[in-house]
Structures are given as C-alpha cells and as structure tokens.
PDB file of all heavy atoms in Angstrom:
ATOM      1  N   ASN A 139       8.001  -2.786  -4.679  1.00 85.00           N
ATOM      2  CA  ASN A 139       8.584  -1.709  -5.543  1.00 85.00           C
ATOM      3  C   ASN A 139       9.169  -0.539  -4.621  1.00 85.00           C
ATOM      4  O   ASN A 139      10.153  -0.058  -4.896  1.00 85.00           O
ATOM      5  CB  ASN A 139       7.557  -1.058  -6.417  1.00 85.00           C
ATOM      6  CG  ASN A 139       7.244  -1.972  -7.651  1.00 85.00           C
ATOM      7  OD1 ASN A 139       7.849  -3.053  -7.857  1.00 85.00           O
ATOM      8  ND2 ASN A 139       6.278  -1.568  -8.403  1.00 85.00           N
ATOM      9  N   ALA A 140       8.440  -0.257  -3.532  1.00 85.00           N
ATOM     10  CA  ALA A 140       8.959   0.795  -2.662  1.00 85.00           C
ATOM     11  C   ALA A 140      10.291   0.276  -1.969  1.00 85.00           C
ATOM     12  O   ALA A 140      11.164   1.049  -1.848  1.00 85.00           O
ATOM     13  CB  ALA A 140       7.948   1.146  -1.581  1.00 85.00           C
ATOM     14  N   MET A 141      10.281  -0.995  -1.571  1.00 91.00           N
ATOM     15  CA  MET A 141      11.421  -1.550  -0.885  1.00 91.00           C
ATOM     16  C   MET A 141      12.607  -1.470  -1.814  1.00 91.00           C
ATOM     17  O   MET A 141      13.779  -1.140  -1.386  1.00 91.00           O
ATOM     18  CB  MET A 141      11.143  -3.023  -0.428  1.00 91.00           C
ATOM     19  CG  MET A 141      12.362  -3.654   0.197  1.00 91.00           C
ATOM     20  SD  MET A 141      12.975  -2.799   1.765  1.00 91.00           S
ATOM     21  CE  MET A 141      11.728  -3.459   2.871  1.00 91.00           C
ATOM     22  N   CYS A 142      12.454  -1.768  -3.092  1.00 88.00           N
ATOM     23  CA  CYS A 142      13.577  -1.818  -4.072  1.00 88.00           C
ATOM     24  C   CYS A 142      13.789  -0.485  -4.785  1.00 88.00           C
ATOM     25  O   CYS A 142      14.718  -0.341  -5.539  1.00 88.00           O
ATOM     26  CB  CYS A 142      13.277  -2.917  -5.101  1.00 88.00           C
ATOM     27  SG  CYS A 142      13.162  -4.564  -4.396  1.00 88.00           S
ATOM     28  N   GLU A 143      12.821   0.428  -4.508  1.00 83.00           N
ATOM     29  CA  GLU A 143      12.858   1.753  -5.155  1.00 83.00           C
ATOM     30  C   GLU A 143      12.817   1.632  -6.666  1.00 83.00           C
ATOM     31  O   GLU A 143      13.598   2.333  -7.414  1.00 83.00           O
ATOM     32  CB  GLU A 143      14.012   2.623  -4.680  1.00 83.00           C
ATOM     33  CG  GLU A 143      13.902   3.015  -3.197  1.00 83.00           C
ATOM     34  CD  GLU A 143      15.134   3.893  -2.744  1.00 83.00           C
ATOM     35  OE1 GLU A 143      15.965   4.286  -3.565  1.00 83.00           O
ATOM     36  OE2 GLU A 143      15.150   4.075  -1.509  1.00 83.00           O
ATOM     37  N   ILE A 144      11.969   0.729  -7.159  1.00 77.00           N
ATOM     38  CA  ILE A 144      11.780   0.527  -8.532  1.00 77.00           C
ATOM     39  C   ILE A 144      10.241   0.817  -8.833  1.00 77.00           C
ATOM     40  O   ILE A 144       9.372   0.145  -8.349  1.00 77.00           O
ATOM     41  CB  ILE A 144      12.149  -0.926  -8.981  1.00 77.00           C
ATOM     42  CG1 ILE A 144      13.612  -1.167  -8.665  1.00 77.00           C
ATOM     43  CG2 ILE A 144      11.811  -1.175 -10.439  1.00 77.00           C
ATOM     44  CD1 ILE A 144      14.034  -2.609  -8.884  1.00 77.00           C
ATOM     45  N   TYR A 145      10.030   1.751  -9.719  1.00 67.00           N
ATOM     46  CA  TYR A 145       8.695   2.140 -10.135  1.00 67.00           C
ATOM     47  C   TYR A 145       8.613   2.041 -11.626  1.00 67.00           C
ATOM     48  O   TYR A 145       8.698   3.017 -12.332  1.00 67.00           O
ATOM     49  CB  TYR A 145       8.387   3.530  -9.622  1.00 67.00           C
ATOM     50  CG  TYR A 145       8.575   3.619  -8.140  1.00 67.00           C
ATOM     51  CD1 TYR A 145       9.801   4.045  -7.569  1.00 67.00           C
ATOM     52  CD2 TYR A 145       7.620   3.284  -7.264  1.00 67.00           C
ATOM     53  CE1 TYR A 145      10.029   4.183  -6.211  1.00 67.00           C
ATOM     54  CE2 TYR A 145       7.736   3.393  -5.913  1.00 67.00           C
ATOM     55  CZ  TYR A 145       8.971   3.794  -5.366  1.00 67.00           C
ATOM     56  OH  TYR A 145       9.123   3.874  -3.992  1.00 67.00           O
ATOM     57  N   PRO A 146       8.404   0.846 -12.187  1.00 59.00           N
ATOM     58  CA  PRO A 146       8.485   0.680 -13.654  1.00 59.00           C
ATOM     59  C   PRO A 146       7.444   1.440 -14.446  1.00 59.00           C
ATOM     60  O   PRO A 146       7.771   1.846 -15.509  1.00 59.00           O
ATOM     61  CB  PRO A 146       8.325  -0.825 -13.812  1.00 59.00           C
ATOM     62  CG  PRO A 146       7.678  -1.340 -12.587  1.00 59.00           C
ATOM     63  CD  PRO A 146       8.003  -0.306 -11.472  1.00 59.00           C
ATOM     64  N   ASP A 147       6.262   1.534 -14.016  1.00 60.00           N
ATOM     65  CA  ASP A 147       5.179   2.072 -14.857  1.00 60.00           C
ATOM     66  C   ASP A 147       4.686   3.401 -14.243  1.00 60.00           C
ATOM     67  O   ASP A 147       3.576   3.825 -14.579  1.00 60.00           O
ATOM     68  CB  ASP A 147       4.064   1.067 -14.901  1.00 60.00           C
ATOM     69  CG  ASP A 147       4.406  -0.145 -15.552  1.00 60.00           C
ATOM     70  OD1 ASP A 147       5.320  -0.128 -16.513  1.00 60.00           O
ATOM     71  OD2 ASP A 147       3.800  -1.178 -15.240  1.00 60.00           O
ATOM     72  N   SER A 148       5.533   4.126 -13.570  1.00 59.00           N
ATOM     73  CA  SER A 148       5.039   5.335 -12.905  1.00 59.00           C
ATOM     74  C   SER A 148       6.001   6.485 -13.106  1.00 59.00           C
ATOM     75  O   SER A 148       7.164   6.341 -12.940  1.00 59.00           O
ATOM     76  CB  SER A 148       4.796   5.117 -11.454  1.00 59.00           C
ATOM     77  OG  SER A 148       4.434   6.290 -10.752  1.00 59.00           O
ATOM     78  N   ASP A 149       5.418   7.644 -13.411  1.00 62.00           N
ATOM     79  CA  ASP A 149       6.220   8.821 -13.497  1.00 62.00           C
ATOM     80  C   ASP A 149       6.167   9.542 -12.137  1.00 62.00           C
ATOM     81  O   ASP A 149       6.748  10.545 -11.942  1.00 62.00           O
ATOM     82  CB  ASP A 149       5.713   9.821 -14.540  1.00 62.00           C
ATOM     83  CG  ASP A 149       5.939   9.239 -15.979  1.00 62.00           C
ATOM     84  OD1 ASP A 149       6.792   8.410 -16.125  1.00 62.00           O
ATOM     85  OD2 ASP A 149       5.098   9.613 -16.907  1.00 62.00           O
ATOM     86  N   VAL A 150       5.247   9.089 -11.310  1.00 65.00           N
ATOM     87  CA  VAL A 150       5.082   9.674  -9.988  1.00 65.00           C
ATOM     88  C   VAL A 150       5.782   8.879  -8.936  1.00 65.00           C
ATOM     89  O   VAL A 150       5.427   7.702  -8.765  1.00 65.00           O
ATOM     90  CB  VAL A 150       3.572   9.846  -9.590  1.00 65.00           C
ATOM     91  CG1 VAL A 150       3.373  10.432  -8.233  1.00 65.00           C
ATOM     92  CG2 VAL A 150       2.810  10.659 -10.682  1.00 65.00           C
ATOM     93  N   LEU A 151       6.721   9.499  -8.225  1.00 66.00           N
ATOM     94  CA  LEU A 151       7.411   8.780  -7.121  1.00 66.00           C
ATOM     95  C   LEU A 151       6.932   9.438  -5.806  1.00 66.00           C
ATOM     96  O   LEU A 151       7.031  10.684  -5.685  1.00 66.00           O
ATOM     97  CB  LEU A 151       8.945   8.923  -7.257  1.00 66.00           C
ATOM     98  CG  LEU A 151       9.512   8.282  -8.563  1.00 66.00           C
ATOM     99  CD1 LEU A 151      11.028   8.617  -8.531  1.00 66.00           C
ATOM    100  CD2 LEU A 151       9.218   6.839  -8.667  1.00 66.00           C
ATOM    101  N   LEU A 152       6.485   8.579  -4.870  1.00 69.00           N
ATOM    102  CA  LEU A 152       6.041   9.137  -3.684  1.00 69.00           C
ATOM    103  C   LEU A 152       7.145   8.924  -2.580  1.00 69.00           C
ATOM    104  O   LEU A 152       7.701   7.916  -2.371  1.00 69.00           O
ATOM    105  CB  LEU A 152       4.774   8.388  -3.147  1.00 69.00           C
ATOM    106  CG  LEU A 152       3.567   8.450  -4.083  1.00 69.00           C
ATOM    107  CD1 LEU A 152       2.503   7.640  -3.552  1.00 69.00           C
ATOM    108  CD2 LEU A 152       3.069   9.927  -4.264  1.00 69.00           C
ATOM    109  N   SER A 153       7.322  10.034  -1.809  1.00 72.00           N
ATOM    110  CA  SER A 153       8.234   9.892  -0.646  1.00 72.00           C
ATOM    111  C   SER A 153       7.549   9.118   0.440  1.00 72.00           C
ATOM    112  O   SER A 153       6.367   8.882   0.401  1.00 72.00           O
ATOM    113  CB  SER A 153       8.557  11.338  -0.115  1.00 72.00           C
ATOM    114  OG  SER A 153       7.373  11.886   0.537  1.00 72.00           O
ATOM    115  N   TYR A 154       8.346   8.670   1.472  1.00 73.00           N
ATOM    116  CA  TYR A 154       7.741   7.966   2.550  1.00 73.00           C
ATOM    117  C   TYR A 154       6.599   8.829   3.201  1.00 73.00           C
ATOM    118  O   TYR A 154       5.562   8.319   3.555  1.00 73.00           O
ATOM    119  CB  TYR A 154       8.711   7.532   3.612  1.00 73.00           C
ATOM    120  CG  TYR A 154       8.013   6.746   4.653  1.00 73.00           C
ATOM    121  CD1 TYR A 154       7.616   5.449   4.499  1.00 73.00           C
ATOM    122  CD2 TYR A 154       7.661   7.410   5.888  1.00 73.00           C
ATOM    123  CE1 TYR A 154       6.936   4.775   5.463  1.00 73.00           C
ATOM    124  CE2 TYR A 154       7.097   6.732   6.860  1.00 73.00           C
ATOM    125  CZ  TYR A 154       6.616   5.464   6.684  1.00 73.00           C
ATOM    126  OH  TYR A 154       5.887   4.775   7.669  1.00 73.00           O
ATOM    127  N   VAL A 155       6.844  10.089   3.422  1.00 79.00           N
ATOM    128  CA  VAL A 155       5.930  11.047   4.041  1.00 79.00           C
ATOM    129  C   VAL A 155       4.599  10.992   3.249  1.00 79.00           C
ATOM    130  O   VAL A 155       3.545  10.874   3.839  1.00 79.00           O
ATOM    131  CB  VAL A 155       6.487  12.406   4.239  1.00 79.00           C
ATOM    132  CG1 VAL A 155       5.445  13.403   4.712  1.00 79.00           C
ATOM    133  CG2 VAL A 155       7.736  12.363   5.182  1.00 79.00           C
ATOM    134  N   GLU A 156       4.759  11.065   1.914  1.00 82.00           N
ATOM    135  CA  GLU A 156       3.511  11.103   1.110  1.00 82.00           C
ATOM    136  C   GLU A 156       2.742   9.794   1.141  1.00 82.00           C
ATOM    137  O   GLU A 156       1.566   9.790   1.279  1.00 82.00           O
ATOM    138  CB  GLU A 156       3.916  11.409  -0.344  1.00 82.00           C
ATOM    139  CG  GLU A 156       4.450  12.836  -0.584  1.00 82.00           C
ATOM    140  CD  GLU A 156       5.105  13.055  -1.941  1.00 82.00           C
ATOM    141  OE1 GLU A 156       5.716  12.089  -2.439  1.00 82.00           O
ATOM    142  OE2 GLU A 156       4.983  14.161  -2.486  1.00 82.00           O
ATOM    143  N   GLN A 157       3.540   8.663   1.195  1.00 80.00           N
ATOM    144  CA  GLN A 157       2.900   7.347   1.358  1.00 80.00           C
ATOM    145  C   GLN A 157       2.239   7.261   2.720  1.00 80.00           C
ATOM    146  O   GLN A 157       1.148   6.771   2.838  1.00 80.00           O
ATOM    147  CB  GLN A 157       4.017   6.210   1.242  1.00 80.00           C
ATOM    148  CG  GLN A 157       4.599   6.087  -0.190  1.00 80.00           C
ATOM    149  CD  GLN A 157       5.640   5.138  -0.160  1.00 80.00           C
ATOM    150  OE1 GLN A 157       5.671   4.112   0.496  1.00 80.00           O
ATOM    151  NE2 GLN A 157       6.784   5.448  -0.884  1.00 80.00           N
ATOM    152  N   ASP A 158       2.850   7.803   3.726  1.00 84.00           N
ATOM    153  CA  ASP A 158       2.262   7.794   5.126  1.00 84.00           C
ATOM    154  C   ASP A 158       1.025   8.619   5.104  1.00 84.00           C
ATOM    155  O   ASP A 158       0.070   8.165   5.740  1.00 84.00           O
ATOM    156  CB  ASP A 158       3.343   8.288   6.078  1.00 84.00           C
ATOM    157  CG  ASP A 158       2.876   8.154   7.488  1.00 84.00           C
ATOM    158  OD1 ASP A 158       2.454   6.968   7.821  1.00 84.00           O
ATOM    159  OD2 ASP A 158       3.003   9.073   8.340  1.00 84.00           O
ATOM    160  N   HIS A 159       0.916   9.781   4.402  1.00 87.00           N
ATOM    161  CA  HIS A 159      -0.270  10.534   4.394  1.00 87.00           C
ATOM    162  C   HIS A 159      -1.394   9.773   3.674  1.00 87.00           C
ATOM    163  O   HIS A 159      -2.483   9.787   4.161  1.00 87.00           O
ATOM    164  CB  HIS A 159      -0.019  11.889   3.560  1.00 87.00           C
ATOM    165  CG  HIS A 159       0.777  12.941   4.321  1.00 87.00           C
ATOM    166  ND1 HIS A 159       0.592  13.219   5.620  1.00 87.00           N
ATOM    167  CD2 HIS A 159       1.756  13.678   3.838  1.00 87.00           C
ATOM    168  CE1 HIS A 159       1.448  14.172   5.972  1.00 87.00           C
ATOM    169  NE2 HIS A 159       2.185  14.428   4.867  1.00 87.00           N
ATOM    170  N   ILE A 160      -1.050   9.028   2.673  1.00 86.00           N
ATOM    171  CA  ILE A 160      -2.096   8.234   1.953  1.00 86.00           C
ATOM    172  C   ILE A 160      -2.602   7.151   2.885  1.00 86.00           C
ATOM    173  O   ILE A 160      -3.849   6.947   2.923  1.00 86.00           O
ATOM    174  CB  ILE A 160      -1.535   7.656   0.652  1.00 86.00           C
ATOM    175  CG1 ILE A 160      -1.254   8.866  -0.360  1.00 86.00           C
ATOM    176  CG2 ILE A 160      -2.466   6.678   0.021  1.00 86.00           C
ATOM    177  CD1 ILE A 160      -0.480   8.440  -1.542  1.00 86.00           C
ATOM    178  N   ARG A 161      -1.702   6.488   3.563  1.00 86.00           N
ATOM    179  CA  ARG A 161      -2.118   5.437   4.500  1.00 86.00           C
ATOM    180  C   ARG A 161      -3.065   6.035   5.634  1.00 86.00           C
ATOM    181  O   ARG A 161      -4.082   5.390   5.896  1.00 86.00           O
ATOM    182  CB  ARG A 161      -1.005   4.706   5.140  1.00 86.00           C
ATOM    183  CG  ARG A 161      -0.267   3.753   4.333  1.00 86.00           C
ATOM    184  CD  ARG A 161       0.770   2.978   5.165  1.00 86.00           C
ATOM    185  NE  ARG A 161       1.767   2.470   4.266  1.00 86.00           N
ATOM    186  CZ  ARG A 161       2.944   2.941   3.931  1.00 86.00           C
ATOM    187  NH1 ARG A 161       3.283   4.033   4.651  1.00 86.00           N
ATOM    188  NH2 ARG A 161       3.678   2.383   3.104  1.00 86.00           N
ATOM    189  N   LYS A 162      -2.696   7.148   6.165  1.00 89.00           N
ATOM    190  CA  LYS A 162      -3.546   7.805   7.189  1.00 89.00           C
ATOM    191  C   LYS A 162      -4.875   8.216   6.533  1.00 89.00           C
ATOM    192  O   LYS A 162      -5.947   7.981   7.258  1.00 89.00           O
ATOM    193  CB  LYS A 162      -2.858   8.916   7.806  1.00 89.00           C
ATOM    194  CG  LYS A 162      -1.634   8.546   8.703  1.00 89.00           C
ATOM    195  CD  LYS A 162      -0.911   9.777   9.177  1.00 89.00           C
ATOM    196  CE  LYS A 162       0.234   9.333  10.007  1.00 89.00           C
ATOM    197  NZ  LYS A 162       1.177  10.535  10.417  1.00 89.00           N
ATOM    198  N   TYR A 163      -4.850   8.804   5.369  1.00 90.00           N
ATOM    199  CA  TYR A 163      -6.066   9.195   4.721  1.00 90.00           C
ATOM    200  C   TYR A 163      -7.032   8.065   4.607  1.00 90.00           C
ATOM    201  O   TYR A 163      -8.280   8.101   4.894  1.00 90.00           O
ATOM    202  CB  TYR A 163      -5.833   9.843   3.399  1.00 90.00           C
ATOM    203  CG  TYR A 163      -6.978  10.293   2.629  1.00 90.00           C
ATOM    204  CD1 TYR A 163      -7.517  11.522   2.836  1.00 90.00           C
ATOM    205  CD2 TYR A 163      -7.505   9.498   1.733  1.00 90.00           C
ATOM    206  CE1 TYR A 163      -8.666  12.003   2.188  1.00 90.00           C
ATOM    207  CE2 TYR A 163      -8.705   9.892   1.000  1.00 90.00           C
ATOM    208  CZ  TYR A 163      -9.231  11.130   1.208  1.00 90.00           C
ATOM    209  OH  TYR A 163     -10.368  11.587   0.544  1.00 90.00           O
ATOM    210  N   ARG A 164      -6.490   6.887   4.173  1.00 89.00           N
ATOM    211  CA  ARG A 164      -7.376   5.683   3.972  1.00 89.00           C
ATOM    212  C   ARG A 164      -8.038   5.179   5.225  1.00 89.00           C
ATOM    213  O   ARG A 164      -8.968   4.547   5.146  1.00 89.00           O
ATOM    214  CB  ARG A 164      -6.528   4.549   3.345  1.00 89.00           C
ATOM    215  CG  ARG A 164      -6.203   4.888   1.868  1.00 89.00           C
ATOM    216  CD  ARG A 164      -5.365   3.819   1.208  1.00 89.00           C
ATOM    217  NE  ARG A 164      -5.037   4.111  -0.149  1.00 89.00           N
ATOM    218  CZ  ARG A 164      -4.140   3.533  -0.903  1.00 89.00           C
ATOM    219  NH1 ARG A 164      -3.379   2.508  -0.319  1.00 89.00           N
ATOM    220  NH2 ARG A 164      -3.932   3.841  -2.158  1.00 89.00           N
ATOM    221  N   ASP A 165      -7.357   5.463   6.420  1.00 91.00           N
ATOM    222  CA  ASP A 165      -7.871   5.036   7.720  1.00 91.00           C
ATOM    223  C   ASP A 165      -8.968   5.971   8.208  1.00 91.00           C
ATOM    224  O   ASP A 165      -9.636   5.719   9.252  1.00 91.00           O
ATOM    225  CB  ASP A 165      -6.734   4.993   8.759  1.00 91.00           C
ATOM    226  CG  ASP A 165      -5.893   3.769   8.491  1.00 91.00           C
ATOM    227  OD1 ASP A 165      -6.322   2.858   7.790  1.00 91.00           O
ATOM    228  OD2 ASP A 165      -4.769   3.762   8.926  1.00 91.00           O
ATOM    229  N   LEU A 166      -9.153   7.172   7.603  1.00 90.00           N
ATOM    230  CA  LEU A 166     -10.115   8.164   8.169  1.00 90.00           C
ATOM    231  C   LEU A 166     -11.588   7.707   7.842  1.00 90.00           C
ATOM    232  O   LEU A 166     -11.769   6.978   6.854  1.00 90.00           O
ATOM    233  CB  LEU A 166      -9.898   9.525   7.421  1.00 90.00           C
ATOM    234  CG  LEU A 166      -8.586  10.244   7.744  1.00 90.00           C
ATOM    235  CD1 LEU A 166      -8.465  11.469   6.891  1.00 90.00           C
ATOM    236  CD2 LEU A 166      -8.476  10.574   9.194  1.00 90.00           C
ATOM    237  N   ASP A 167     -12.459   8.243   8.684  1.00 92.00           N
ATOM    238  CA  ASP A 167     -13.890   7.965   8.400  1.00 92.00           C
ATOM    239  C   ASP A 167     -14.285   8.969   7.346  1.00 92.00           C
ATOM    240  O   ASP A 167     -13.562   9.882   6.964  1.00 92.00           O
ATOM    241  CB  ASP A 167     -14.708   8.100   9.598  1.00 92.00           C
ATOM    242  CG  ASP A 167     -14.677   9.398  10.343  1.00 92.00           C
ATOM    243  OD1 ASP A 167     -14.194  10.455   9.701  1.00 92.00           O
ATOM    244  OD2 ASP A 167     -15.121   9.580  11.481  1.00 92.00           O
TER     245      ASP A 167
END
C-alpha cells in the first residue's frame, strides 16, 4: 500500500518520516 500510495481503509496517511519513526520505535528496548 505504501509503495502504491493506496490506503483503502485508512483516514490516516503516514509520511515516510512518520513510518521511519514507528520502525525505530519498534526497535527500542
């Protein structure tokens, strides 16, 4: 969905920076 920029069931669109923050957060202890 991110690759195609299609978010069928979401009103929330995340920028790449926001996605990157989430990925980093998930890697934290």
Side-chain angles (χ1 to χ4, degrees):
N139 286 355
M141 179 62 79
C142 299
E143 295 180 5
I144 298 173
Y145 304 93
D147 297 328
S148 177
D149 291 335
V150 178
L151 300 179
L152 298 176
S153 69
Y154 179 77
V155 171
E156 291 166 329
Q157 292 174 39
D158 190 46
H159 287 317
I160 291 168
R161 281 190 203 98
K162 287 176 183 173
Y163 179 85
R164 288 177 179 167
D165 288 340
L166 295 174
D167 63 12

